[in-house]
Amino acid sequence: MTTSLPPAGLSVRHLHKIYPPDIVALYDVNLELPLGEFTAIIGPSGCGKTTLLKIAAGIETYQQGAVAFAGEAIAGNPSWKRSVIYQDVRLFPWLSAQANIAFALESKGIPKAEAQQQAREWIVRQGLEAYADAYPAELSGGTRQKIGVCRVLASQPDLVLCDEPFSALDWNARESLQHDLLHYWYEQRKSVLFVTHNVEEAVYLAQRVVLMSARPGVIKEIVDVPLPDERWTVRRDSPQLLDIARYVNNHIADEVRKAQLLEQELGY
Amino acid sequence: MTAQELQVTRPAAEPESVAVAPDAILPPSNRIINLGAGVGVVLWLLVLAAHRLIPQVGASFKVPADYLTPVALVVLGIFGVTFGIAYRLPTQRPRVLAIYRVLIVLGAVLIPWEVASRLAWIKPPFFPSPSKVIGVYIEDSSKLLLSIAYSMRLLVVGYLIGCIAGVSFGLALGWSRRVSNWSMFWIRLIGPIPATAWIPLAIVIFPNSFTAGVFLIAFASWFPVMMLTWSGVAGVPKALLEAAQTLGADEKRLLRQVVIPAALPSVFVGLFMSLGTAFAILIVAEMLGVKAGLGWYITWAQGWSEYHKVYAAMLVLGALFITVVSGIFKIRDRLLGWQKGILRW
Ligand SMILES: Nc1ncnc2c1ncn2[C@@H]1O[C@H](COP(=O)(O)OP(=O)(O)O)[C@@H](O)[C@H]1O
Ligand SMILES: [Mg+2]
């Protein structure tokens, strides 16, 4: 069953990023992701995953290379179409939970009243009515990230960039947010780029897992995950999932060792 | 895992109640109320006794009007009424205690003052008796009220102009690199010049003493507000700016919904700081020759060696300052409710 080439999603070509004066964060990174794919990036800490995500979001500069999404050059222009779910959530502390979601919708250009209405619907769908008017400081970590995820998904971005968004959460919150993200991807068929250092999470969520090497960040290998798109039906202890995870684990083990050696050399 | 579930589903109000001080949960005990009222009543009876029983040393033929007796009686009445309230409405006890603290200190100050004045250890006109100072509020009330009105007009107009200018300049400096590059030098040069040094120029430039005064007060409040607004904008967390940008916020939304709210705590510090300066300049500005005002009143009273009026006007100034500051605090608490006691003066 051959089909024509899928439309291009995120395209990264010969990307070099150096933090002044001489920290080479990314070295000749090349990545072509089809539109609508759920991709995970995994790699040792400090290999440039966050940097790559920020460049894709348009909030970080780079020295060399070309970065585009759906054929459109990103060139340092952030847009709601390429939205980021951050590990540290970054809700606006002066806005209530609902107002944080409405902020995203209004930023997209939706009129105020309708934005409020839609934000309310997201709150209700998440069962967070009790927290609608609470400020972020009054919410638990899990609830905060639920609002953070709603805020991003509400404006229906074409590319959802996730920077280890669930790694600080308890198991309950993590699972429910993983499923929210999976359903969004499954129903909307938008692209998701999910950075994590948790191999099981990467394999459980993504159609493909990109392995990055220790600094400077280079794409080392891309692993296909032949599990059904309805991932929420897959058991986390299914042999197939564990096999792929073991394979990925073996591959990154020596990268992690390299990263540790590098850190020792730099004297951390 | 149950603990984690609990954490996820805890009601929004709970962390708040943890932060509340324990004495706000339990109303003050009967003992504290009794003690406060007892000490207060004894002190004020002593004030009354000193006033009524000690003969005035070196008394003139003209006996001055007695204002301390009615005040002491009113205060004793207040103790009676608030004591009743404390027992009827225990929730009001913290407020009652706050009143007691003020009245107890006032009584403790008045006793030696009245004794010293009766025994002529301190002498008018520089050190008048308490009764004489209280009398100003009754005998000279119309002139004093007019002065309050004039002062407030000058203060409010000057302070508002200064604050609006300070916030706008501060935002422009913090937001636009070009603006700060061009004006940094001049602001550093002109900003720290004391407002009083502008008096000679202000008198020449402005058509009357009111506008000159407005300028001086505005100038004095402008600089601290601007600097703190600027530093507030400079301190907006980059993480939040990035978050807003990746949600698609344009420049206008970034400024209005991210930069300004984030800078607001710092702006309020500036507003508060410059209010003190504005009050100081108010008194100076009113010495430039206005028709009425508390600064003018003080100068005028001093000219006639009526020091009791000077002290009475000083107390009014203090009261005005407290009133304006608590107004600013009210606005701040409304706007910064999200901080939940993170930053409080
Ligand atoms: N703003 C910055 N300035 C200087 N160096 C940075 C900056 N951000 C990241 N780095 C460095 O670049 C490398 C890659 O960082 P990052 O992209 O955050 O890695 P990861 O997200 O994979 O842990 C790290 O060595 C880090 O120290
Ligand atoms: Mg990172």
Side-chain angles (χ1 to χ4, degrees):
Chain A
M1 42 171 255
T2 49
T3 49
S4 58
L5 215 61
L10 185 69
S11 153
V12 178
R13 285 183 195 157
H14 302 296
L15 180 65
H16 294 255
K17 168 69 189 179
I18 299 165
Y19 285 108
D22 59 353
I23 300 170
V24 183
L26 298 171
Y27 185 83
D28 197 27
V29 168
N30 289 284
L31 195 58
E32 298 289 338
L33 302 177
L35 200 60
E37 185 182 79
F38 198 130
T39 319
I41 298 186
I42 199 155
S45 148
C47 74
K49 306 181 297 290
T50 296
T51 304
L52 182 62
L53 230 57
K54 281 167 114 177
I55 290 173
I59 52 175
E60 186 66 85
T61 57
Y62 48 93
Q63 279 76 18
Q64 253 187 63
V67 188
F69 179 75
E72 222 174 288
I74 288 168
N77 276 325
S79 156
W80 62 266
K81 292 177 184 163
R82 290 171 272 109
S83 206
V84 184
I85 303 175
Y86 300 91
Q87 179 178 8
D88 53 350
V89 194
R90 306 191 184 183
L91 295 182
F92 303 113
W94 45 84
L95 297 181
S96 69
Q98 187 177 321
N100 262 284
I101 301 174
F103 178 100
L105 292 161
E106 283 180 49
S107 297
K108 185 187 174 182
I110 293 173
K112 217 179 178 110
E114 204 193 323
Q116 282 296 341
Q117 161 108 32
Q118 285 189 26
R120 181 82 205 168
E121 283 163 15
W122 277 88
I123 293 265
V124 171
R125 207 172 314 154
Q126 288 282 340
L128 296 174
E129 292 99 320
Y131 305 99
D133 297 322
Y135 289 114
E138 300 167 316
L139 303 174
S140 69
T143 310
R144 233 176 272 170
Q145 190 57 292
K146 273 186 193 168
I147 300 294
V149 169
C150 289
R151 186 172 74 161
V152 166
L153 299 188
S155 49
Q156 305 204 325
D158 299 322
L159 173 61
V160 185
L161 299 159
C162 309
D163 192 1
E164 308 189 22
F166 310 143
S167 55
L169 303 183
D170 60 76
W171 184 84
N172 264 324
R174 182 182 313 174
E175 169 151 79
S176 114
L177 285 173
Q178 282 174 345
H179 286 175
D180 286 342
L181 196 59
L182 280 172
H183 280 287
Y184 175 78
W185 167 74
Y186 184 81
E187 281 150 27
Q188 310 273 337
R189 289 295 155 170
K190 308 277 195 191
S191 302
V192 180
L193 187 57
F194 193 100
V195 164
T196 175
H197 55 240
N198 181 333
V199 173
E200 281 72 28
E201 185 176 41
V203 173
Y204 180 68
L205 292 175
Q207 294 178 294
R208 290 201 300 165
V209 179
V210 177
L211 307 187
M212 266 175 95
S213 73
R215 210 177 82 196
V218 182
I219 306 295
K220 222 192 142 205
E221 194 177 341
I222 298 183
V223 180
D224 280 311
V225 182
L227 292 173
D229 284 356
E230 298 85 354
R231 287 301 167 91
W232 51 93
T233 62
V234 176
R235 286 174 57 95
R236 280 170 202 270
D237 58 357
S238 82
Q240 208 181 355
L241 195 151
L242 292 180
D243 271 352
I244 302 164
R246 195 172 307 124
Y247 175 84
V248 173
N249 258 321
N250 289 338
H251 262 71
I252 63 166
D254 45 300
E255 287 307 326
V256 171
R257 249 192 317 278
K258 258 195 255 170
Q260 281 164 349
L261 278 176
L262 189 71
E263 280 181 10
Q264 276 165 15
E265 256 170 60
L266 295 173
Y268 289 123
Chain B
M1 203 185 92
T2 45
Q4 283 165 345
E5 272 173 358
L6 253 170
Q7 200 195 0
V8 172
T9 54
R10 82 183 159 193
E14 199 179 289
E16 229 183 313
S17 60
V18 173
V20 175
D23 66 351
I25 296 165
L26 278 177
S29 65
N30 292 355
R31 218 183 117 251
I32 299 284
I33 293 289
N34 295 347
L35 191 69
V39 170
V41 167
V42 167
L43 281 175
W44 278 88
L45 284 174
L46 284 174
V47 170
L48 207 51
H51 183 59
R52 308 292 299 193
L53 302 180
I54 302 175
Q56 179 71 55
V57 174
S60 59
F61 292 112
K62 190 181 156 226
V63 178
D66 174 13
Y67 295 110
L68 189 55
T69 305
V71 167
L73 291 177
V74 167
V75 168
L76 287 170
I78 291 174
F79 273 111
V81 171
T82 49
F83 191 70
I85 291 175
Y87 275 89
R88 285 270 166 82
L89 308 165
T91 52
Q92 294 300 312
R93 285 186 174 190
R95 241 178 244 186
V96 169
L97 276 185
I99 295 171
Y100 283 1
R101 286 188 205 105
V102 173
L103 293 179
I104 284 172
V105 172
L106 186 59
V109 170
L110 278 174
I111 294 167
W113 183 6
E114 180 62 16
V115 170
S117 148
R118 285 267 143 190
L119 299 177
W121 293 342
I122 58 170
K123 290 194 178 68
F126 302 117
F127 300 106
S129 69
S131 185
K132 194 119 189 190
V133 174
I134 297 167
V136 175
Y137 298 119
I138 291 141
E139 291 170 1
D140 215 16
S141 59
S142 60
K143 200 180 277 172
L144 211 47
L145 279 175
L146 190 70
S147 286
I148 293 173
Y150 267 73
S151 283
M152 284 308 277
R153 187 179 65 149
L154 187 56
L155 183 79
V156 167
V157 174
Y159 181 65
L160 275 184
I161 291 175
C163 290
I164 291 168
V167 169
S168 330
F169 273 78
L171 284 177
L173 283 169
W175 192 235
S176 156
R177 187 139 288 273
R178 185 181 296 168
V179 172
S180 68
N181 283 346
W182 274 93
S183 46
M184 185 99 86
F185 173 82
W186 300 105
I187 282 164
R188 284 199 181 138
L189 183 76
I190 294 169
I193 298 175
T196 42
W198 288 89
I199 289 177
L201 186 64
I203 291 175
V204 174
I205 292 180
F206 291 96
N208 51 42
S209 55
F210 175 73
T211 44
V214 165
F215 165 78
L216 291 177
I217 293 171
F219 182 86
S221 3
W222 160 74
F223 189 60
V225 172
M226 177 182 69
M227 294 312 280
L228 276 140
T229 305
W230 183 2
S231 86
V233 173
V236 177
K238 193 160 175 268
L240 291 183
L241 289 174
E242 284 179 359
Q245 283 176 319
T246 53
L247 290 170
D250 55 10
E251 191 122 335
K252 190 173 140 201
R253 181 172 300 278
L254 226 50
L255 191 65
R256 285 180 28 180
Q257 300 229 40
V258 182
V259 173
I260 292 179
L264 218 47
S266 179
V267 171
F268 270 102
V269 175
L271 294 182
F272 178 66
M273 276 174 46
S274 63
L275 188 63
T277 326
F279 260 83
I281 300 301
L282 171 72
I283 301 308
V284 179
E286 286 182 340
M287 292 174 180
L288 298 182
V290 289
K291 281 200 234 37
L294 287 167
W296 164 86
Y297 186 90
I298 288 173
T299 321
W300 171 82
Q302 189 204 3
W304 291 95
S305 276
E306 294 181 311
Y307 281 85
H308 52 293
K309 292 189 179 171
V310 174
Y311 304 138
M314 280 167 61
L315 286 176
V316 171
L317 268 174
L320 277 186
F321 188 80
I322 293 178
T323 311
V324 178
V325 164
S326 46
I328 293 179
F329 279 14
K330 281 241 167 64
I331 298 173
R332 181 203 61 180
D333 290 347
R334 270 193 77 106
L335 290 178
L336 299 184
W338 54 272
Q339 284 196 317
K340 296 286 168 219
I342 294 166
L343 178 136
R344 287 288 121 103
W345 284 312

